[in-house]
Amino acid sequence: MNNKPSLLRTALVLGGTAVAAILSKKENRDMLVNEFNKAKQDPNAYKASLTEKANNLTQVAKEEVSKAKEDPNAYKANLTDKVMEKAAPVIDKVKGNEGDFPKNQADTREQVTTFDDEGGASNIHIVTDHSNVTDNNPTAVDKNDLK
Protein backbone atom coordinates (compact mmCIF):
# COMPACT_ATOMS: atom_id res chain seq x y z
CA MET A 1 0.00 0.00 0.00
CA ASN A 2 2.94 2.27 0.67
CA ASN A 3 4.09 2.01 -2.97
CA LYS A 4 1.08 3.84 -4.43
CA PRO A 5 2.21 7.40 -3.59
CA SER A 6 5.71 6.77 -4.96
CA LEU A 7 4.25 5.09 -8.04
CA LEU A 8 1.96 8.06 -8.60
CA ARG A 9 4.85 10.47 -8.14
CA THR A 10 6.97 8.49 -10.58
CA ALA A 11 4.17 8.45 -13.14
CA LEU A 12 3.70 12.21 -12.79
CA VAL A 13 7.43 12.87 -13.21
CA LEU A 14 7.65 10.60 -16.26
CA GLY A 15 4.52 12.14 -17.76
CA GLY A 16 5.83 15.64 -17.16
CA THR A 17 9.14 14.71 -18.73
CA ALA A 18 7.40 13.25 -21.77
CA VAL A 19 5.24 16.35 -22.18
CA ALA A 20 8.29 18.60 -21.84
CA ALA A 21 10.16 16.58 -24.46
CA ILE A 22 7.23 16.74 -26.88
CA LEU A 23 6.66 20.46 -26.34
CA SER A 24 10.36 21.25 -26.75
CA LYS A 25 9.87 21.27 -30.53
CA LYS A 26 8.28 24.41 -31.93
CA GLU A 27 6.05 22.59 -34.42
CA ASN A 28 4.61 20.46 -31.60
CA ARG A 29 3.91 23.57 -29.52
CA ASP A 30 2.24 25.26 -32.49
CA MET A 31 0.12 22.20 -33.17
CA LEU A 32 -0.98 22.11 -29.52
CA VAL A 33 -1.88 25.81 -29.57
CA ASN A 34 -3.91 25.27 -32.77
CA GLU A 35 -5.79 22.35 -31.21
CA PHE A 36 -6.42 24.36 -28.05
CA ASN A 37 -7.79 27.27 -30.11
CA LYS A 38 -10.10 24.89 -32.00
CA ALA A 39 -11.40 23.56 -28.69
CA LYS A 40 -11.96 27.11 -27.35
CA GLN A 41 -13.85 28.25 -30.46
CA ASP A 42 -16.46 25.45 -30.48
CA PRO A 43 -16.08 22.99 -27.60
CA ASN A 44 -19.07 20.83 -28.58
CA ALA A 45 -17.94 20.35 -32.19
CA TYR A 46 -14.40 19.63 -31.02
CA LYS A 47 -15.70 17.05 -28.55
CA ALA A 48 -17.80 15.44 -31.29
CA SER A 49 -14.81 15.23 -33.65
CA LEU A 50 -12.67 13.66 -30.95
CA THR A 51 -15.42 11.15 -30.18
CA GLU A 52 -15.65 10.29 -33.88
CA LYS A 53 -11.86 9.81 -34.11
CA ALA A 54 -11.92 7.58 -31.02
CA ASN A 55 -14.75 5.48 -32.48
CA ASN A 56 -12.85 5.10 -35.76
CA LEU A 57 -9.72 3.97 -33.90
CA THR A 58 -11.81 1.52 -31.87
CA GLN A 59 -13.31 0.09 -35.07
CA VAL A 60 -9.87 -0.28 -36.69
CA ALA A 61 -8.54 -2.02 -33.57
CA LYS A 62 -11.52 -4.41 -33.52
CA GLU A 63 -10.95 -5.26 -37.19
CA GLU A 64 -7.26 -5.98 -36.54
CA VAL A 65 -8.11 -8.20 -33.57
CA SER A 66 -10.70 -10.11 -35.63
CA LYS A 67 -8.15 -10.61 -38.43
CA ALA A 68 -5.64 -11.94 -35.91
CA LYS A 69 -8.24 -14.30 -34.39
CA GLU A 70 -9.38 -15.66 -37.77
CA ASP A 71 -5.97 -16.84 -38.96
CA PRO A 72 -3.15 -16.09 -36.51
CA ASN A 73 -0.39 -17.55 -38.69
CA ALA A 74 -1.37 -15.56 -41.79
CA TYR A 75 -1.73 -12.40 -39.70
CA LYS A 76 1.69 -12.97 -38.17
CA ALA A 77 3.25 -13.52 -41.61
CA ASN A 78 1.57 -10.40 -42.99
CA LEU A 79 2.71 -8.33 -40.03
CA THR A 80 6.25 -9.70 -40.34
CA ASP A 81 6.30 -8.78 -44.03
CA LYS A 82 5.17 -5.23 -43.26
CA VAL A 83 7.83 -4.82 -40.58
CA MET A 84 10.57 -6.21 -42.82
CA GLU A 85 9.48 -3.88 -45.63
CA LYS A 86 9.70 -0.84 -43.37
CA ALA A 87 12.97 -2.01 -41.79
CA ALA A 88 14.67 -2.83 -45.12
CA PRO A 89 16.39 0.58 -45.51
CA VAL A 90 17.84 0.38 -42.00
CA ILE A 91 18.99 -3.21 -42.52
CA ASP A 92 20.67 -2.25 -45.81
CA LYS A 93 22.43 0.65 -44.12
CA VAL A 94 23.72 -1.62 -41.34
CA LYS A 95 24.88 -4.24 -43.84
CA GLY A 96 26.69 -1.52 -45.78
CA ASN A 97 28.68 -0.54 -42.68
CA GLU A 98 29.61 -4.12 -41.85
CA GLY A 99 33.09 -3.76 -43.33
CA ASP A 100 34.01 -1.02 -40.88
CA PHE A 101 34.07 -3.29 -37.83
CA PRO A 102 34.65 -6.97 -38.62
CA LYS A 103 32.89 -9.35 -36.27
CA ASN A 104 35.94 -11.51 -35.68
CA GLN A 105 38.24 -8.63 -34.84
CA ALA A 106 37.65 -6.25 -31.95
CA ASP A 107 38.70 -2.64 -32.17
CA THR A 108 41.15 -2.32 -29.29
CA ARG A 109 42.26 1.24 -29.98
CA GLU A 110 41.33 3.71 -27.30
CA GLN A 111 39.55 6.83 -28.41
CA VAL A 112 40.39 10.09 -26.71
CA THR A 113 37.40 12.39 -26.34
CA THR A 114 37.11 15.81 -24.83
CA PHE A 115 33.76 17.06 -23.60
CA ASP A 116 34.08 20.73 -24.48
CA ASP A 117 30.37 21.46 -24.25
CA GLU A 118 30.26 19.93 -20.76
CA GLY A 119 32.95 22.10 -19.24
CA GLY A 120 35.96 20.20 -20.56
CA ALA A 121 37.40 16.90 -19.52
CA SER A 122 41.06 17.45 -20.25
CA ASN A 123 41.90 16.92 -16.58
CA ILE A 124 40.79 13.27 -16.64
CA HIS A 125 43.75 10.90 -16.87
CA ILE A 126 44.21 7.17 -16.80
CA VAL A 127 46.53 6.10 -13.99
CA THR A 128 48.33 2.83 -14.67
CA ASP A 129 51.21 0.71 -13.43
CA HIS A 130 52.40 -0.06 -16.94
CA SER A 131 54.59 2.51 -18.64
CA ASN A 132 53.92 1.08 -22.12
CA VAL A 133 50.32 2.31 -21.85
CA THR A 134 51.50 5.88 -21.27
CA ASP A 135 53.56 5.79 -24.47
CA ASN A 136 50.49 5.17 -26.64
CA ASN A 137 47.93 7.21 -24.70
CA PRO A 138 48.38 10.94 -24.13
CA THR A 139 45.90 11.00 -21.24
CA ALA A 140 47.52 8.11 -19.35
CA VAL A 141 49.79 8.86 -16.40
CA ASP A 142 52.27 6.39 -14.97
CA LYS A 143 51.68 5.70 -11.30
CA ASN A 144 55.36 6.31 -10.50
CA ASP A 145 55.20 9.81 -12.06
CA LEU A 146 52.60 10.88 -9.50
CA LYS A 147 54.91 10.46 -6.50
Side-chain angles (χ1 to χ4, degrees):
M1 202 58 146
N2 204 7
N3 291 338
K4 286 188 180 182
S6 63
L7 181 63
L8 180 62
R9 243 182 264 128
T10 303
L12 287 174
V13 169
L14 290 175
T17 304
V19 168
I22 290 171
L23 294 179
S24 66
K25 294 184 179 176
K26 181 162 177 38
E27 60 264 5
N28 290 341
R29 286 191 306 265
D30 293 343
M31 186 176 66
L32 182 65
V33 168
N34 289 339
E35 289 296 315
F36 188 70
N37 289 335
K38 286 180 193 176
K40 279 182 14 179
Q41 288 174 357
D42 192 4
N44 292 333
Y46 189 75
K47 181 181 176 182
S49 70
L50 286 181
T51 304
E52 183 180 336
K53 286 179 184 179
N55 289 337
N56 289 342
L57 285 176
T58 303
Q59 186 61 32
V60 168
K62 286 180 181 178
E63 289 173 5
E64 288 295 316
V65 168
S66 66
K67 286 179 190 177
K69 284 183 179 178
E70 285 176 14
D71 191 5
N73 292 333
Y75 185 78
K76 180 181 175 184
N78 186 22
L79 193 60
T80 304
D81 291 342
K82 286 181 182 178
V83 169
M84 291 304 291
E85 182 180 311
K86 288 187 177 185
V90 176
I91 292 171
D92 291 341
K93 183 178 177 183
V94 169
K95 285 183 179 178
N97 293 337
E98 211 171 77
D100 294 344
F101 297 99
K103 292 179 183 177
N104 61 353
Q105 192 177 23
D107 186 13
T108 57
R109 292 176 289 151
E110 184 176 334
Q111 297 179 356
V112 177
T113 306
T114 58
F115 303 102
D116 291 336
D117 52 334
E118 302 222 359
S122 60
N123 60 347
I124 298 174
H125 300 287
I126 300 168
V127 178
T128 180
D129 289 333
H130 305 287
S131 60
N132 62 348
V133 173
T134 59
D135 296 338
N136 298 329
N137 190 344
T139 61
V141 177
D142 192 357
K143 184 178 174 181
N144 296 327
D145 292 341
L146 294 175
K147 294 179 183 179

